[in-house]
Amino acid sequence: MLNETLARYSELFMYIAALIYTVVFVAFTWDVVKNSRVTRRLEGAAAPREAELEEEQAAEPVTAGAATSVAGAEKTGRKTAAKSSVKMSAKATRVERTGGAETGTGERGAGYRGAAARALEGHVADSSMLYTGQSRPAARIAVIVMLMGALVHAAAVIMRGVAAQRVPWGNMYEFCTTGALVVVAVYLVALIFRDLRFVGTLVSGLALIMMCAATISFATPVGHLKPALQSYWLVIHVSIAVLASGVFTITFAMAVLQLVQTRREQRILNGKSGGWAFMRLVPSAQALENFAFRLNALAFVMWTFTLAAGAIWASQAWGRYWGWDTKEVWTFVIWVVYAAYLHARATRGWAGPRSAWLSIIGYLCIIFNFTVVNIFFSGLHSYSGL
């Protein structure tokens, strides 16, 4: 029996959770803006001091001994200059061939080394992503408020399930609200082990968009499941799919930051201003790529299980494992894209922007599968509830 009153309370809590996520988004954004201002102020204060040091070094007199040493070094300098020129030319050729200067991570994600790595020091955050560096009260507040929002959000999802007397995954409204909760939960768990506050603006923004889409565009009254969904495979299949999508959301945000950081690193190495001062809070493009690769590998295993569980469920519900239904096809397309991403980066050396773009394309396929396929394509998986 449906509990309409509890369902209305669930909807109210969903709205409250969306408002809390709005506050979280604003707090993370303020953290970015504040740190950008601090960075620019520190850079402005450091510039005159650096100029003074250069003038002092240039004004220092050369002693007689130093002059003799310089005269003696001129001969050896001319000999080594040609050798150095050849080495630099060879090194530049290798960089050009491997794409290291273009990707910012080198072949197979090797990363910058030597002078290039030293040039980037101070322009990117610690690659270990541990909690070091300056205090960030706005980000700390954002995390605390996000935890509160997640608790309210979880209560709303649970009330929806109790009101419907089933798991709350029967239509797009329920998929989207549960998916947003999983995204936030995965992010909060990841924060225990790594300092991922730099991606908080994107994660909270995506969660807020999902909540707005659910409450405004996909709002559906509480109801019973269709006969084909009344199976324990709904819990197995959909729960793993939602969890995988939550992890893919985190890696999507990191891939976007990787592209921005790669371009910024190139500008710094070319002697230009990196711009986007808040990107000092973000680790190097290589660190982002390596961490996202591990998360994508984990999510890919879950998506593979989702695909297999869906086939088994289809056999029980419709008497066949695979029927080339639109939803089935796009689930397989997502699997192929992420399989290509993992294979290309692990065996073909597709490091840098190319791997980031593959990750982004895979996530866009997930969004297409969830929205366009559910709304505009009819088939056995038409459970949008709209």
Side-chain angles (χ1 to χ4, degrees), residues 6 50 52 60 62 83 90 104 122 167 175 185 195 242 277 304 359 375:
L6 192 59
E50 291 178 358
E52 290 177 4
E60 288 180 356
V62 180
K83 295 181 180 179
V167 290
F175 292 156
D195 184 6
V242 172
T304 302
S359 180
I375 297 174

Side-chain angles (χ1 to χ4, degrees), residues 81-128:
K83 295 181 180 179
S84 300
S85 178
V86 172
K87 290 180 180 179
M88 291 296 291
S89 178
K91 182 177 179 181
T93 303
R94 288 196 300 271
V95 169
E96 183 178 358
R97 289 176 180 175
T98 59
E102 296 178 0
T103 63
T105 54
E107 200 171 83
R108 296 184 183 274
Y112 290 115
R113 293 189 177 92
R118 289 191 294 272
L120 293 175
E121 289 181 0
H123 294 280
V124 296
D126 182 16
S127 295
S128 64

Side-chain angles (χ1 to χ4, degrees), residues 196 247-248 250-251 254 290-300 302:
L196 302 181
V247 178
F248 283 138
I250 305 298
T251 59
M254 297 187 76
N290 292 341
F291 191 69
F293 176 76
R294 292 193 291 270
L295 290 180
N296 275 327
L298 174 64
F300 176 75
M302 291 188 287

Side-chain angles (χ1 to χ4, degrees), residues 130-203:
L130 299 178
Y131 287 91
T132 58
Q134 63 189 32
S135 175
R136 297 167 57 184
R140 187 182 301 111
I141 292 173
V143 173
I144 295 173
V145 176
M146 177 178 275
L147 179 59
M148 296 170 55
L151 295 176
V152 174
H153 194 170
V157 171
I158 293 172
M159 283 190 289
R160 177 78 176 196
V162 174
Q165 294 296 304
R166 56 174 174 79
V167 290
W169 307 327
N171 49 62
M172 286 190 67
Y173 171 81
E174 295 172 355
F175 292 156
C176 205
T177 51
T178 303
L181 175 61
V182 170
V183 168
V184 173
V186 169
Y187 178 65
L188 289 173
V189 171
L191 283 173
I192 299 175
F193 306 97
R194 290 289 187 274
D195 184 6
L196 302 181
R197 291 176 295 178
F198 60 85
V199 80
T201 303
L202 291 176
V203 172

